[in-house]
C-alpha cells in the first residue's frame, strides 16, 4: 500500500513537471519571438497524502486510489499569474490546444466572480505521464489570474484562516470592495498597455541572439544557393 501511494503521488508530481515544462517553453517563445512576456510567475503544488485523505473523507470518497483519482481533481495544481486579464485566456487556450493536453472543465470566475469577490480562471486538464510501463493519464488543476487577482486571493486566504473560516461581516464587505477595486485596476492597466504597445502587446523587451543585417543577407544567399531548381 505504501509503494502504491508513493507511485500515485509521484505520478501527480511528474504531471506538474510536464505542465511547468510547457509553460516554460511558452514563456521563452513569447520573450524571444514576440518580445512580450504574458507570464509574471508560476507556482505549483501537490497535496500531501494526509491532505488527500482528509479531503476524500470530507467528500465521502472511498479511501482507494482509483476512487480518489476519479473524484478529487485538485491533487496537483499549477497557478499561472499573468500580466493582464486577456493573457489568462490566451495562455489557457495555448496550453489546452496542445495535442497531449485534454481539457475536461473550465470555471470562469473572471467573467462570473464568486460572491466574495474571488476572480480566477480555473481549468481541469488531463495530461499523460510517460512511464516505463506506458502512459498514465493524470489530472491537473490550472489556475490563471492576474497580479491584482492573485494579491487579493492571497490576502483573502490569510484572513479566511486567521478567523477560522468565520470572517466578520465588515471584513467580508471590505474584501468585496477591494476585489472591485482590483478589477478596475486590471481594466485600466490593460487599457494603458494597449495604448502604449498595441493590442498584441509587443514591447521592447530584450530578445535572444542579435541577428544583424549582414547575417540575414548571408542566410538569404545560402537559401538561394541551396534552393532546388525547378524545371
Amino acid at each position: 500500500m505504501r509503494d502504491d501511494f508513493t507511485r500515485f503521488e509521484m505520478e501527480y508530481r511528474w504531471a506538474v513537471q510536464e505542465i511547468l515544462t510547457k509553460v516554460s517553453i511558452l514563456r521563452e517563445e513569447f520573450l524571444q519571438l514576440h518580445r512580450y512576456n504574458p507570464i509574471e510567475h508560476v507556482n505549483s503544488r501537490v497535496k500531501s497524502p494526509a491532505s488527500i485523505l482528509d479531503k476524500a473523507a470530507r467528500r465521502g470518497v472511498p479511501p482507494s486510489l482509483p476512487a480518489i483519482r476519479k473524484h478529487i481533481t485538485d491533487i496537483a495544481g499549477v497557478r499561472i499569474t499573468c500580466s493582464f486579464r486577456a493573457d489568462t485566456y490566451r495562455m489557457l487556450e495555448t496550453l489546452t490546444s496542445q495535442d497531449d493536453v485534454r481539457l475536461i472543465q473550465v470555471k470562469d470566475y473572471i467573467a462570473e466572480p464568486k460572491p466574495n469577490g474571488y476572480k480566477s480562471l480555473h481549468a481541469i486538464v488531463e495530461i499523460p505521464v510517460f512511464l516505463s510501463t506506458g502512459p498514465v493519464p493524470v489530472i491537473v488543476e490550472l489556475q490563471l489570474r492576474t497580479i491584482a487577482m492573485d494579491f487579493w486571493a492571497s490576502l483573502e486566504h490569510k484572513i479566511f484562516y486567521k478567523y477560522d473560516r468565520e470572517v466578520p461581516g465588515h471584513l467580508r464587505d471590505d474584501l468585496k470592495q477591494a476585489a472591485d477595486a482590483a478589477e478596475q485596476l486590471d481594466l485600466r492597466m490593460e487599457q494603458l498597455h494597449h495604448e502604449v504597445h498595441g493590442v498584441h502587446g509587443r514591447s521592447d523587451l530584450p530578445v535572444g541572439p542579435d541577428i544583424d543585417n549582414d547575417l540575414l543577407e548571408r542566410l538569404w544567399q545560402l537559401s538561394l544557393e541551396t534552393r532546388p531548381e525547378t524545371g
Side-chain angles (χ1 to χ4, degrees):
M1 184 179 295
R2 181 182 293 109
D3 290 345
D4 289 343
F5 207 103
T6 298
R7 182 182 182 89
F8 176 83
E9 186 185 21
M10 290 175 67
E11 289 170 359
Y12 282 93
R13 286 199 286 108
W14 292 329
V16 165
Q17 291 176 15
E18 292 281 354
I19 294 291
L20 293 179
T21 298
K22 291 177 178 295
V23 172
S24 178
I25 291 172
L26 288 173
R27 173 186 269 171
E28 187 74 10
E29 178 196 348
F30 275 101
L31 276 173
Q32 301 295 339
L33 300 182
H34 305 293
R35 300 186 184 182
Y36 173 65
N37 179 20
I39 303 170
E40 292 292 335
H41 51 84
V42 183
N43 302 99
S44 63
R45 61 105 180 98
V46 176
K47 285 184 180 294
S48 67
S51 179
I52 294 172
L53 293 176
D54 286 345
K55 187 157 193 174
R58 290 197 305 270
R59 292 191 172 184
V61 176
S64 70
L65 296 184
I68 291 173
R69 188 188 296 275
K70 179 179 180 181
H71 294 289
I72 300 181
T73 58
D74 63 344
I75 294 174
V78 175
R79 179 182 302 149
I80 304 171
T81 303
C82 299
S83 303
F84 305 106
R85 290 161 57 109
D87 293 331
T88 63
Y89 294 99
R90 185 180 188 182
M91 292 307 304
L92 179 61
E93 181 181 4
T94 303
L95 281 170
T96 55
S97 65
Q98 298 186 18
D99 293 340
D100 59 344
V101 179
R102 184 170 76 91
L103 179 62
I104 297 175
Q105 184 184 56
V106 174
K107 292 183 178 180
D108 190 348
Y109 295 118
I110 297 178
E112 298 182 9
K114 291 185 177 182
N116 66 345
Y118 175 85
K119 298 180 181 70
S120 187
L121 186 59
H122 289 202
I124 304 298
V125 301
E126 183 184 82
I127 184 169
V129 173
F130 293 93
L131 307 177
S132 60
T133 54
V136 176
V138 180
I139 298 294
V140 178
E141 181 189 60
L142 301 179
Q143 294 182 4
L144 300 99
R145 56 180 66 157
T146 65
I147 300 171
M149 294 173 195
D150 190 55
F151 176 72
W152 183 93
S154 176
L155 176 62
E156 192 271 346
H157 182 79
K158 293 174 183 176
I159 293 175
F160 187 75
Y161 281 97
K162 175 178 175 59
Y163 288 93
D164 195 23
R165 303 172 184 265
E166 298 295 332
V167 181
H170 72 280
L171 286 180
R172 289 199 300 268
D173 293 340
D174 287 345
L175 281 169
K176 181 61 172 64
Q177 292 176 13
D180 294 339
E183 179 180 19
Q184 293 304 312
L185 177 62
D186 266 338
L187 294 173
R188 181 55 180 152
M189 295 302 292
E190 190 161 8
Q191 180 184 7
L192 287 171
H193 179 73
H194 289 166
E195 290 178 6
V196 175
H197 299 296
V199 175
H200 299 293
R202 189 178 179 89
S203 70
D204 296 325
L205 288 173
V207 294
D210 186 26
I211 302 179
D212 59 24
N213 290 334
D214 290 340
L215 181 56
L216 287 174
E217 184 174 351
R218 287 170 54 194
L219 290 172
W220 173 250
Q221 292 298 329
L222 285 172
S223 69
L224 293 178
E225 293 172 6
T226 58
R227 182 178 298 174
E229 297 182 1
T230 57

